[in-house]
Amino acid sequence: MQNRLLNLKNQAIALIKDIHTSKELEELRMSLLGRRGKFNDLLKELPKLRVEERQPVGRMANEVKQTLNQLIQEKQLQLNQVGPSNKFFDLTFPGKLPAIGHLHPISQAIEEITHIFERIGFTRVRYPEIDWDWYVFETLNMPEDHPARDEWETIFIDTPPHPTKGKLVLTTHTSNGQVREMERVKTPPIRMLNLGKCYRRQQDATHTVMFHQFEGLVVDKHINIPHLKGTLDYFGREFFGKGIKSRIRPFNFRFTEPSFEVDFTCTNCRGRGCRFCKSGWVEVGGAGMVHPDVLRAGKIDPTKYSGFAFGWGVERVLRLKPGLNIADIRILYNSNVKFLKQF
Ligand code: DAH
């Protein structure tokens, strides 16, 4: 009888090991410990034993029953951990990588532009994106009612005006940083990159109400147009790649004299002329030599110092990057992961 008890225990241990589902385990439990199970079958023979054998065998039977119960419980716990399907689960299997995002293409472009200018000594600054009329127009040689203001479809804030600085506006361009930077630095040299958000009342395939601009400003002794041209060519090379040049064409801005519009070699046809650019050049923004009135507004003596400035949109240059050809810049703002993933 003792041997048969031991056999039952060993058999049960082997069977439990091979079990993979709760259902199988329950079936096994019934066949071992259930009312008509093997264990009870054995116990039925207990009365047949001699009296003095009954006690030790009975004790052993109890131990075996306890052990089996415990083993079944442990197995059940183990199966629970494996999950509801109770399929075999390899704990050493490498996990799924969590989805990790990355910087938005515009943020990436902002970082790239910042680093390009930092390498030639510019400092990135940020000035208010809601600013006084004074910095956005007035000190840039555009007094109230000047028709040149019409170029900037301005959104005004409905608050009481500043006694001397006028109304609050959502900055229409980053040129508001020019006089602010002159006030901050006081004595040149100035090499500023003001990069921030701008707002205009406009919305189509190439314009959004909110967009990003960067404004370069250099003021020092003997600054001249070749310095400006060299800086633009440098940017073209670094941002768009080798072989991309800048071209400046006479224009009129109130805050620069002379003023230019700035083009870069079309990255689509590399200057040969295509459906997209027609002439081989693509316009990106404006530039010029800082107007003496603007220097004076920033308390810098135009007889001692001169400077150049340039400014244009981050989205505008991003969509011209070779290989991108973003036809509608609104796609940059609609949070479409399929699009964003490609950057
Ligand atoms: N602020 C102008 C705009 O938003 C761009 C610009 C033109 C900036 C000429 C300049 C400049 O610094 O010199 O259209």
Side-chain angles (χ1 to χ4, degrees):
M1 173 99 179
Q2 270 147 317
N3 277 346
R4 286 165 68 198
L5 272 170
L6 270 181
N7 274 346
L8 179 67
K9 183 171 125 185
N10 289 338
Q11 249 179 25
I13 290 174
L15 288 171
I16 290 172
K17 237 190 197 156
D18 275 347
I19 272 180
H20 295 302
T21 69
S22 299
K23 192 165 164 262
E24 284 168 17
L25 186 65
E26 180 56 19
E27 279 163 14
L28 180 68
R29 195 183 66 78
M30 290 299 285
S31 77
L32 292 172
L33 304 172
R35 208 149 46 86
R36 291 199 198 124
K38 290 186 180 147
F39 187 77
N40 275 353
D41 281 352
L42 270 177
L43 279 196
K44 275 181 203 145
E45 292 173 23
L46 203 58
K48 292 181 198 157
L49 293 178
R50 279 179 283 139
V51 182
E52 62 279 16
E53 275 179 346
R54 280 183 210 161
Q55 209 191 14
V57 173
R59 203 181 297 127
M60 187 177 174
N62 265 338
E63 278 170 19
V64 169
K65 192 174 179 181
Q66 257 179 21
T67 311
L68 292 184
N69 262 326
Q70 199 184 337
L71 285 173
I72 289 171
Q73 258 178 29
E74 278 169 10
K75 183 72 186 189
Q76 186 58 55
L77 276 180
Q78 200 187 331
L79 290 175
N80 289 348
Q81 277 171 1
V82 175
S85 66
N86 289 342
K87 292 231 176 68
F88 172 67
F89 182 77
D90 184 353
L91 285 169
T92 63
F93 204 74
K96 269 191 194 160
L97 272 187
I100 297 175
H102 59 67
L103 286 182
H104 190 277
I106 292 180
S107 303
Q108 290 180 26
I110 288 174
E111 287 208 337
E112 187 180 353
I113 292 165
T114 305
H115 291 148
I116 288 174
F117 284 105
E118 276 174 353
R119 288 203 287 278
I120 53 168
F122 283 68
T123 302
R124 174 158 178 211
V125 296
R126 298 198 66 175
Y127 285 118
E129 289 165 359
I130 301 174
D131 206 357
W132 304 109
D133 185 300
W134 178 256
Y135 292 107
V136 181
F137 294 118
E138 194 79 33
T139 53
L140 297 178
N141 232 349
M142 288 180 278
E144 214 181 341
D145 300 329
H146 195 286
R149 286 189 179 211
D150 284 358
E151 275 296 305
W152 291 273
E153 302 190 56
T154 312
I155 300 169
F156 290 89
I157 308 267
D158 191 7
T159 48
H162 187 282
T164 55
K165 296 192 165 132
K167 291 184 189 162
L168 262 187
V169 301
L170 297 186
T171 50
T172 52
H173 53 181
T174 42
S175 305
N176 69 321
Q178 292 197 14
V179 169
R180 282 189 171 274
E181 180 73 354
M182 294 176 200
E183 289 177 349
R184 183 182 75 88
V185 177
K186 294 191 181 78
T187 343
I190 290 173
R191 269 184 223 152
M192 166 198 91
L193 185 75
N194 177 31
L195 196 158
K197 291 190 173 74
C198 297
Y199 305 83
R200 289 185 201 173
R201 218 176 131 260
Q202 53 179 18
Q203 179 91 293
D204 59 34
T206 52
H207 300 90
T208 49
V209 173
M210 188 282 292
F211 58 100
H212 297 80
Q213 260 198 356
F214 56 102
E215 182 88 7
L217 175 70
V218 170
V219 182
D220 206 345
K221 288 186 175 142
H222 315 300
I223 294 294
N224 52 38
I225 296 175
H227 292 133
L228 166 64
K229 183 67 168 67
T231 307
L232 298 175
D233 279 337
Y234 163 79
F235 175 79
R237 236 174 15 243
E238 296 290 307
F239 190 76
F240 297 117
K242 273 198 194 117
I244 303 297
K245 294 202 178 74
S246 74
R247 174 174 85 166
I248 50 178
R249 285 177 289 108
F251 199 71
N252 178 52
F253 291 105
R254 293 284 301 165
F255 35 97
T256 38
E257 184 56 40
S259 300
F260 310 104
E261 274 194 320
V262 180
D263 301 338
F264 282 102
T265 317
C266 173
T267 52
N268 190 43
C269 60
R270 304 195 67 82
R272 265 176 270 122
C274 62
R275 192 164 52 92
F276 176 63
C277 66
K278 312 228 161 47
S279 62
W281 298 95
V282 182
E283 188 224 314
V284 296
M289 302 306 292
V290 182
H291 195 291
D293 283 352
V294 178
L295 289 172
R296 269 190 287 269
K299 304 219 162 44
I300 288 175
D301 183 354
T303 61
K304 283 197 194 138
Y305 295 103
S306 56
F308 68 77
F310 57 88
W312 59 83
V314 172
E315 290 82 349
R316 173 94 55 114
V317 286
L318 175 61
R319 67 188 276 259
L320 296 175
K321 269 225 168 201
L324 281 191
N325 278 331
I326 298 174
D328 187 334
I329 63 169
R330 287 170 292 192
I331 195 172
L332 289 168
Y333 288 107
N334 68 9
S335 303
N336 180 343
V337 176
K338 270 193 199 153
F339 170 75
L340 296 175
K341 262 188 182 165
Q342 301 171 50
F343 287 83

